[in-house]
């Protein structure tokens, strides 16, 4: 299913590189959960689903390609994949626009100097990217910092350093 969501997201990006339009549809579905349930319901005819999408398109000035994309998802019973498609679309859009999402995990609120050091590290590691950071507090870290960038983790937390020390001591 994940690969299918990725494929849909790629197709959607080719059709509509305007992230705002796709975000509007995403908000429409998250703000109106009943809409997704109706479009996913096998008891509702395709004709009725298409009519609902047409009505939505008229009322919200939905782009023609997005309207057709939603109909296609209905036709193939894949409306349930819309959240995953939107997530993959966002990741693809960020990749195409050289935007990097990084999550900074601290045990407590960091000082400005600590944040600056983390951002300098990221800028040095990813010089061609525009870096967007999200700060999270996780008290269980006890101290230090973890940075998550995609599937990569940089662990300078106290626990991470202790595990690294333990690993080095047991290798000998």
């Amino acid at each position: 299913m994940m690969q299918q969501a990725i494929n849909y997201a790629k197709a959607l990006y080719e059709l509509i590189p305007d992230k705002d339009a796709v975000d509007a549809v995403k908000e429409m579905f998250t703000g109106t959960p009943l809409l997704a349930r109706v479009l996913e319901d096998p008891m509702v005819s395709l004709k009725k689903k298409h009519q609902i999408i047409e009505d939505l398109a008229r009322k919200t000035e939905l782009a023609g390609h997005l309207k057709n994309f939603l109909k296609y998802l209905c036709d193939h019973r894949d409306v349930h994949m819309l959240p995953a498609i939107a997530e993959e679309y966002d990741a693809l859009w960020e990749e195409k626009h050289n935007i990097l999402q990084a999550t900074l995990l601290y045990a407590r609120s960091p000082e400005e100097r600590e944040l600056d050091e983390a951002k300098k590290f990221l800028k040095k590691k990813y010089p061609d990217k525009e870096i967007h950071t999200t700060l999270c507090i996780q008290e269980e870290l006890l101290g230090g910092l973890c940075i998550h960038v995609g599937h990569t983790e940089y662990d300078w937390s106290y626990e991470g350093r202790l595990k690294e020390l333990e690993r080095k001591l047991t290798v000998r």
Side-chain angles (χ1 to χ4, degrees):
M1 181 171 108
M2 187 61 162
Q3 186 58 51
Q4 192 173 8
I6 292 169
N7 293 344
Y8 275 137
K10 287 178 180 178
L12 185 57
Y13 184 82
E14 291 300 317
L15 289 171
I16 304 151
D18 177 13
K19 188 174 183 320
D20 292 337
V22 175
D23 284 347
V25 169
K26 185 169 47 172
E27 285 181 32
M28 187 185 319
F29 276 81
T30 55
T32 315
L34 181 60
L35 175 61
R37 283 199 303 269
V38 168
L39 294 180
E40 291 171 9
D41 191 338
M43 299 302 291
V44 177
S45 71
L46 277 177
K47 183 178 179 180
K48 183 66 177 167
K49 291 176 184 181
H50 284 215
Q51 186 58 51
I52 291 168
I53 293 168
E54 287 292 338
D55 292 345
L56 273 174
R58 248 184 275 103
K59 291 177 183 174
T60 61
E61 298 179 16
L62 189 67
H65 289 311
L66 263 173
K67 176 179 70 172
N68 293 336
F69 184 78
L70 291 174
K71 287 180 180 180
Y72 185 88
L73 290 179
C74 287
D75 293 349
H76 291 85
R77 297 182 181 177
D78 287 335
V79 172
H80 68 280
M81 295 178 67
L82 205 50
I85 294 167
E87 186 178 322
E88 292 298 330
Y89 178 93
D90 288 345
L92 182 61
W93 191 90
E94 288 172 353
E95 178 186 321
K96 298 280 186 187
H97 291 85
N98 284 328
I99 296 173
L100 182 76
Q101 295 290 339
T103 304
L104 309 176
L105 304 169
Y106 286 92
R108 56 171 174 69
S109 292
E111 295 176 10
E112 195 64 37
R113 174 191 55 78
E114 293 172 309
L115 278 174
D116 289 342
E117 286 176 9
K119 289 177 182 178
K120 283 179 189 172
F121 166 79
L122 289 168
K123 199 65 180 157
K124 185 176 179 184
K125 193 80 175 166
Y126 305 96
D128 60 335
K129 300 284 186 182
E130 178 183 329
I131 300 167
H132 295 183
T133 57
T134 304
L135 176 65
C136 293
I137 305 299
Q138 287 189 346
E139 294 176 1
E140 60 269 14
L141 288 178
L142 301 177
L145 159 72
C146 282
I147 301 176
H148 291 245
V149 178
H151 297 293
T152 305
E153 178 181 74
Y154 303 96
D155 189 352
W156 298 295
S157 67
Y158 291 172
E159 182 181 353
R161 290 179 182 193
L162 285 172
K163 284 180 183 176
E164 181 64 20
L165 179 61
E166 179 183 20
R167 189 182 62 76
K168 284 181 181 178
L169 290 172
T170 57
V171 170
R172 294 180 184 192

